[in-house]
Amino acid sequence: MTHICTQFTEIYATTAGAVYQCNRQNRLVLNFAGQVSVLKVDAFLRLVKAVHAIDLESMAERTDRASDLEIVSVCGCDRCFVLTMPELYAFKELLAGAKFSLHLNSMLHECLNPLFV
């Protein structure tokens, strides 16, 4: 039987979507372009790395028809993202903000944890 986490903590949100954290299942919930994907943290980090590696500048300079779309798929993600350049820009912003928030939260937890032990 699958249990659905009802307690989400918002990690980062933009007008394009949001990333939530479920501490109970140790998962991240990615809501982008009207679709929801549930990811383990390592799959989320692989997705961030794959999207970060895409060069938007060279994509904008190309004139061929295929340059308007980018397909992003990573192991551990149940979804294949087919994104236009504006969607890709918004997706990059969302993922980078969520990664920064997770990293900042981790650093704060490490700094404050010795005080409570």
Side-chain angles (χ1 to χ4, degrees), residues 30-96:
L30 173 63
N31 181 1
F32 182 76
Q35 294 186 338
V36 176
S37 298
V38 180
L39 304 166
K40 291 183 179 180
V41 176
D42 59 335
F44 175 78
L45 294 175
R46 282 193 299 272
L47 181 62
V48 170
K49 186 176 180 179
V51 171
H52 181 70
I54 298 170
D55 187 6
L56 288 175
E57 188 175 313
S58 69
M59 192 174 171
E61 291 173 351
R62 294 190 320 229
T63 58
D64 56 312
R65 185 175 239 179
S67 67
D68 294 344
L69 292 175
E70 189 71 35
I71 300 172
V72 180
S73 179
V74 294
C75 182
C77 182
D78 61 348
R79 181 173 166 206
C80 179
F81 296 91
V82 180
L83 304 167
T84 62
M85 196 164 68
E87 290 172 332
L88 193 55
Y89 180 79
F91 197 47
K92 265 188 167 189
E93 179 186 5
L94 176 65
L95 294 178

